[in-house]
Amino acid sequence: MPGLIGRKIGMTQIFDDDGRAVGVTVLEVGPCPVVQIKTAEHDGYDAVQLGFDRVKERNVRKPGAGHAARAGLDHVPRVLAEFDLGGEDLELGQELTVEMFDVGSRVNVTGATKGRGFQGVVKRHGFAGGRGSHGGSSVLRGPGSIGAGTDPSRVIKGRKMAGRMGGTQRMAMSRKVIGIDADRNLLLVRGSVPGGRNNIVMVRPGR
């Protein structure tokens, strides 16, 4: 099966059969209509394009409306994403729901991490910082030396320095499905997943 598009609702905890508290992330996953099916003969590769959520009527543009109409949809999806077809026999307009997953199975969740802006080396890389006494006030959160002098007379590539932190795509692998609420399209997975609340995520079968 290909996967689904979803939204991160937040985190909570539930109690398992042994009475232990388990931290879980609540995801609103699907329903995701099939918007386009790509084939090797026509597009050069096999894939399925799924949609999620919907664009408000006043914000609909003609190209998006035409693309959705060709799939027989009565709305324009707000998010589009491609998944590996995986040999599945799907049809345009078909809806994929959270019921494609099973409790106890494993999933991989991909999303963008929280953006932290421009940060120093202490927060970005966990540097300890400089000394706090003997005139060390100017080096408390500084990176220190970043390279040799005469040789090689440059900063080596890959040096850990201050810079933009977060806002990158990451995958939380092999998260266990703890619960499924098909009526509300909710998927409960054990542990954390990338991003903050309302972050768009891609949920694929894992192992």
Side-chain angles (χ1 to χ4, degrees):
M1 55 184 176
L4 289 177
I5 311 170
R7 177 189 294 111
K8 180 177 177 178
I9 302 299
M11 291 196 70
T12 184
Q13 67 178 15
I14 62 175
F15 294 92
D16 60 13
D17 296 335
D18 298 327
R20 293 174 298 185
V22 179
V24 297
T25 301
V26 182
L27 305 174
E28 180 188 354
V29 182
C32 297
V34 177
V35 181
Q36 185 179 9
I37 297 177
K38 299 193 174 184
T39 61
E41 294 78 12
H42 187 268
D43 303 285
Y45 63 100
D46 294 321
V48 57
Q49 185 185 76
L50 302 181
F52 176 70
D53 208 353
R54 59 177 60 205
V55 178
K56 294 180 180 179
E57 289 294 332
R58 65 173 181 268
N59 296 330
V60 170
R61 299 293 182 266
K62 286 185 177 180
H67 187 59
R70 282 189 290 272
L73 304 182
D74 59 355
H75 66 279
V76 178
R78 188 172 70 87
V79 181
L80 296 174
E82 286 187 2
F83 293 84
D84 184 13
L85 196 55
E88 293 284 334
D89 187 15
L90 302 176
E91 299 179 356
L92 288 177
Q94 178 181 346
E95 278 197 343
L96 305 181
T97 66
V98 71
E99 293 178 299
M100 67 187 295
F101 298 109
D102 299 317
V103 175
S105 61
R106 300 278 178 169
V107 294
N108 298 332
V109 184
T110 304
T113 60
K114 292 181 180 179
R116 304 295 185 182
F118 192 97
Q119 297 297 332
V121 293
V122 173
K123 181 170 182 176
R124 191 183 188 204
H125 300 295
F127 281 23
R131 59 185 180 272
S133 62
H134 297 281
S137 60
S138 62
V139 297
L140 285 176
R141 299 179 69 87
S145 175
I146 60 174
T150 304
D151 185 19
S153 297
R154 63 186 177 88
V155 178
I156 303 300
K157 288 183 178 180
R159 179 72 63 190
K160 292 181 179 179
M161 299 180 69
R164 181 176 176 272
M165 180 181 179
T168 56
Q169 183 171 284
R170 291 289 182 267
M171 178 187 291
M173 300 185 66
S174 193
R175 293 292 190 260
K176 186 177 181 180
V177 177
I178 300 298
I180 296 175
D181 187 341
D183 295 333
R184 295 188 291 174
N185 301 311
L186 298 181
L187 186 72
L188 278 64
V189 298
R190 182 166 188 162
S192 61
V193 303
R197 294 185 182 92
N198 296 320
N199 189 46
I200 296 297
V201 296
M202 309 297 164
V203 185
R204 296 178 172 87
R207 57 182 179 179

